Amino acid sequence: MNIARFHPYVYYATKYAFYPGQTSLTRHSYSASLYFVTEGRGVFRLRGREYEALPGMMVYMEAGQCHDWASDTDEPMTHVCCYFDWHYVDRTEAYPDEAGPICYDAALLRQELVGEAFPYPLPEIADVSSSLRRWVDLMQKCYTSNEHTTERTFIPNMMVQSHFLQFIDHFLTFSLQEHHIPDPRITKLLGRIEEDLLNGRRVQMEAYSESLGLSRGYFFELFKRTTGMSPIQYINHSLMNRAKDDLRSSNLSIMQIADKYHFNSVHYFSRLFRQYTGKSPQAFRGAAR
C-alpha cells in the first residue's frame, strides 16, 4: 500500500436544511462523505439498514455506498456535510458542472470514477453530541460550493484544503483505533523534536517523557509503536537524512557536516552514517554525484 498518495481533498462542503417531511432520492456518492446532524430529527438509511437521525449523529460513508435521508415532518432535520476523496480524482470530463457528483441510479454508476476507500476500517455511525459544536466549527471552515476549482477560485480553495486537512486530522484521531494510527501525544512531540534538531538542541529523552507525564519505559514503548524506532534511532535517522542531503548538494567536508549536526567525533559520525545507509559518507557522496 502506497500510503503517500493518500492526501484528502474536499470538493463540496455545506450546511443543508431539510424541508418538513422531505426525503432524498436513493443515491451513491462518487466520493467519500461525512455528515453531522445538527438540528431536528429524521431517518438515515444505509445499505438497507435504518438509523434514527438526531443531533450529534455523525455518519461516514466510503464512496459508492447506497444511502438516503428522510426528514421528520414536525422537527425537520439540518446537517452539515462534505464530499471528499482520500486522494484527488479528476471527474471533470464526466461531470463538468459538479465537483462532488452523485449518482441516483446504481446501474449508471461509473466504477472507475468511484473514490478509493481508506486503508483502515472507519466507523460509519457515531455519536459526537458532546463535542458537536467543535465538529461544526471545523466543518464550517471547509465550506465550499459544488464547483470545480478555477483560476479565480484557486487561492481560496487552497485555504479550504488547508482547513480540511485539520478537520480530517481530527476525524481520524477520533475514528481510528490506537493500533491503527500513531499516538497523538507522540506525533505532536515529533514536531518538537524536529524543531530541537533544527536548532542544534540535543535534549535528554527523560525531558521528553517528563513533558508528556509518562514513565521512561512507557514513553519508549509508545514512541516505538508510533514511529517504528526508538527515540535515539529516530533522531539519528533524521540527522542521517539531513547529512545525506548535504553530501548530495553541498561542498561541505565530511568533518564540517559532522560538526554541523553536533557530532563530537567525525569517526563516530562516519560509523553511524554507514550503519544507517550501508555506505561511508565518502562513498555515498561519490555515488550521488
Side-chain angles (χ1 to χ4, degrees), residues 67-202:
H67 68 284
D68 68 290
W69 296 86
S71 178
D72 187 76
T73 302
D74 299 319
E75 299 178 58
M77 181 173 53
T78 296
H79 64 218
V80 297
C81 58
C82 66
Y83 300 84
F84 70 99
D85 277 315
W86 292 107
H87 60 86
Y88 179 78
V89 177
D90 188 354
R91 305 183 182 95
T92 52
E93 184 176 347
Y95 294 94
D97 300 322
E98 298 173 87
I102 293 175
C103 177
Y104 297 96
D105 184 344
L108 300 178
L109 186 69
R110 296 180 54 175
Q111 289 295 335
E112 73 276 11
L113 296 180
V114 174
E116 188 172 350
F118 191 70
Y120 298 116
L122 297 167
E124 292 178 327
I125 309 293
D127 179 10
V128 296
S129 52
S130 62
S131 56
L132 181 60
R133 185 71 259 165
R134 170 66 172 156
W135 286 100
V136 172
D137 288 344
L138 287 170
M139 178 75 83
Q140 284 178 340
K141 295 179 181 179
C142 308
Y143 283 179
T144 185
S145 60
N146 193 13
E147 297 176 341
H148 295 292
T149 302
T150 65
E151 292 84 351
R152 176 180 55 82
T153 61
F154 175 70
I155 293 178
N157 181 261
M158 285 196 298
M159 182 65 71
V160 167
Q161 300 304 328
S162 174
H163 288 307
F164 185 66
L165 290 179
Q166 296 176 43
F167 171 81
I168 285 296
D169 174 73
H170 189 70
F171 169 66
L172 290 178
T173 301
F174 172 86
S175 298
L176 289 172
Q177 298 301 310
E178 183 176 326
H179 65 279
H180 282 153
I181 61 171
D183 188 286
R185 292 169 292 184
I186 301 299
T187 54
K188 290 180 180 178
L189 181 65
L190 295 182
R192 177 182 164 191
I193 291 175
E194 289 296 325
E195 183 178 352
D196 287 339
L197 292 177
L198 286 172
N199 289 291
R201 295 190 293 264
R202 293 296 187 94

